[in-house]
């Protein structure tokens, strides 16, 4: 490329940046000017031919067309698989030292799921029985009573209720509460690893780049308590083969939980009504105070 060509290209970038100089909202001005600079730098780096540029436009168009108003959000999935969702999470949750780490929200949360009693079984479909229990505390170690733990996970077939129309309403979803000591208890089935939706543009991108589409087994939590920052996180099964290569980069070491096999006929089994062997996972959450 000649110096003249290079100069013309960078002059174009400066001209477009300048076109946004009078944007009244300073944040919007910053966002648009930075977007133009980075987008132009990307295009200058890749130097697409016109067919490639058109293919990119078609790809983004199809990504939008894949979305619906209920369960499918292909743009979030694209953000997740490019690591952008976890970067936004990291920027927005620079947490106090001992607070529980956050991770991606994901597209499968459903509001208004059943309120559940402590230890109630939220699994209406079969799987390996499991107990997940522990304490919700503040960063000084004091119990957080009355925290709402909104939880969701897939069935043993790797699909969420709502996504899989065969599953009963509220299956493997529910809202539990911590008691006065901060204790919570969830009876469920052991989470399994599962593929993210791969029948759209994101699946094509993953296949074309040789990436797999699996997420390591996990249980989702959104924990809310008055006066505390809301925590959106997962607890991952230790030993899962996809822990090191989560398709959406959501794993943090402190979120990995080792479940232990437990026999039926023990006081713990009796307390939670397990008539068979089960897996126990003990996990404590630490919530930071909300900013004043
Ligand atoms: C999930 O864990 O539910 C999820 C997160 C990101 C993309 C797809 C699924
Ligand atoms: Fe999930």
């Amino acid at each position: 490329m000649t110096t003249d060509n290079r100069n013309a290209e960078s002059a174009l970038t400066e001209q477009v940046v300048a076109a946004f100089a009078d944007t009244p909202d300073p944040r919007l001005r910053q966002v648009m000017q930075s977007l133009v600079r980075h987008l132009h730098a990307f295009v200058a780096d890749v130097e697409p031919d016109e067919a490639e540029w058109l293919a990119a436009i078609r790809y983004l168009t199809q990504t939008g067309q894949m979305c619906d108003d209920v369960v499918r959000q292909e743009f979030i999935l694209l953000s997740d698989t490019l690591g952008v969702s976890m970067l936004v999470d990291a920027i927005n949750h620079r947490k106090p030292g001992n607070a529980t780490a956050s991770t991606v929200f994901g597209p499968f949360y459903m509001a208004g799921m059943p309120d559940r009693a402590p230890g109630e079984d939220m699994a209406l479909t079969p799987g390996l029985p499991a107990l997940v229990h522990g304490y919700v505390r503040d960063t000084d170690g004091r119990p957080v009573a009355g925290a709402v733990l909104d939880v969701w996970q897939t069935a043993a077939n790797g699909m969420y209720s709502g996504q899989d129309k065969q599953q009963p309403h509220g299956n493997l979803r529910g809202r539990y509460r911590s008691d006065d000591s901060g204790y919570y208890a969830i009876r469920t089935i052991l989470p399994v690893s599962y593929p993210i939706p791969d029948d759209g543009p994101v699946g094509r991108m993953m296949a074309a780049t040789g990436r797999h589409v699996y997420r390591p087994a996990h249980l989702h939590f959104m924990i809310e308590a008055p006066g505390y920052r809301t925590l959106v996180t997962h607890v991952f099964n230790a030993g899962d083969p996809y822990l090191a290569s989560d398709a959406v980069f959501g794993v943090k070491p402190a979120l990995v939980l080792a479940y232990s096999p437990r026999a039926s006929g023990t006081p713990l089994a009796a307390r939670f009504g397990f008539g068979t062997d089960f897996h126990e996972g003990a996990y404590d959450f630490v919530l930071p105070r909300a900013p004043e």
Side-chain angles (χ1 to χ4, degrees), residues 108-195:
F108 293 115
Y109 172 74
M110 290 171 75
M113 289 297 109
D115 283 313
R116 300 203 184 271
E120 183 180 334
D121 194 355
M122 67 171 185
L124 308 173
T125 51
L128 297 173
L131 171 70
V132 180
H133 64 159
Y135 291 85
V136 184
R137 299 194 179 95
D138 68 15
T139 48
D140 296 320
R142 286 184 296 250
V144 176
V148 174
L149 298 93
D150 212 329
V151 300
W152 65 105
Q153 70 172 86
T154 68
N157 69 356
M159 292 178 81
Y160 288 90
S161 58
Q163 177 192 24
D164 172 8
K165 303 293 176 226
Q166 308 301 314
Q167 291 179 38
H169 174 78
N171 187 36
L172 293 159
R173 297 176 181 274
R175 288 158 57 86
Y176 292 83
R177 276 174 178 71
S178 60
D179 69 14
D180 286 349
S181 67
Y183 179 73
Y184 74 93
I186 299 161
R187 199 179 142 172
T188 184
I189 55 174
L190 212 53
V192 295
S193 44
Y194 66 87

Side-chain angles (χ1 to χ4, degrees), residues 13-277:
T13 301
E14 290 314 316
Q15 190 186 352
V16 181
V17 168
F20 288 99
D22 295 334
T23 303
D25 180 332
R27 177 64 170 165
L28 182 60
R29 187 189 325 130
Q30 180 200 6
V31 168
M32 293 311 299
Q33 291 186 325
S34 177
L35 176 69
V36 168
R37 282 194 197 287
H38 285 88
L39 204 52
H40 281 224
F42 168 69
V43 172
D45 181 36
V46 172
E47 298 195 328
D49 64 28
E50 280 160 342
E52 288 173 329
W53 176 78
L54 207 56
I57 299 282
R58 209 175 294 123
Y59 184 83
L60 292 177
T61 305
Q62 289 165 353
T63 300
Q65 288 166 338
M66 200 72 199
C67 297
D68 62 38
D69 291 338
V70 192
V71 285
R72 191 64 186 261
Q73 229 305 347
E74 196 75 359
F75 271 113
I76 293 185
L77 210 54
L78 188 56
S79 162
D80 294 341
T81 50
L82 295 179
V84 177
S85 304
M86 281 307 290
L87 184 56
V88 171
D89 172 76
I91 290 164
N92 285 278
H93 299 276
R94 293 176 179 138
K95 64 184 184 69
N98 64 342
T100 303
S102 54
T103 189
V104 283
F105 193 50
F108 293 115
Y109 172 74
M110 290 171 75
M113 289 297 109
D115 283 313
R116 300 203 184 271
E120 183 180 334
D121 194 355
M122 67 171 185
L124 308 173
T125 51
L128 297 173
L131 171 70
V132 180
H133 64 159
Y135 291 85
V136 184
R137 299 194 179 95
D138 68 15
T139 48
D140 296 320
R142 286 184 296 250
V144 176
V148 174
L149 298 93
D150 212 329
V151 300
W152 65 105
Q153 70 172 86
T154 68
N157 69 356
M159 292 178 81
Y160 288 90
S161 58
Q163 177 192 24
D164 172 8
K165 303 293 176 226
Q166 308 301 314
Q167 291 179 38
H169 174 78
N171 187 36
L172 293 159
R173 297 176 181 274
R175 288 158 57 86
Y176 292 83
R177 276 174 178 71
S178 60
D179 69 14
D180 286 349
S181 67
Y183 179 73
Y184 74 93
I186 299 161
R187 199 179 142 172
T188 184
I189 55 174
L190 212 53
V192 295
S193 44
Y194 66 87
I196 60 169
D198 64 352
D199 56 343
V202 170
R204 291 208 310 275
M205 179 270 288
M206 298 294 272
T209 56
R211 290 176 58 191
H212 74 73
V213 291
Y214 279 83
R215 296 217 63 208
H218 58 272
L219 176 56
H220 289 257
F221 285 84
M222 177 161 71
I223 306 180
E224 292 178 296
Y228 294 90
R229 250 195 263 166
T230 297
L231 172 66
V232 172
T233 196
H234 315 344
V235 171
F236 294 91
N237 299 20
D240 188 285
Y242 299 109
L243 280 175
S245 63
D246 182 2
V248 305
F249 309 99
V251 179
K252 295 176 180 174
L255 299 177
V256 177
L257 167 64
Y259 288 83
S260 306
R262 299 285 181 232
S264 60
T266 59
L268 187 66
R271 182 171 158 207
F272 290 100
F274 287 101
T276 60
D277 293 355

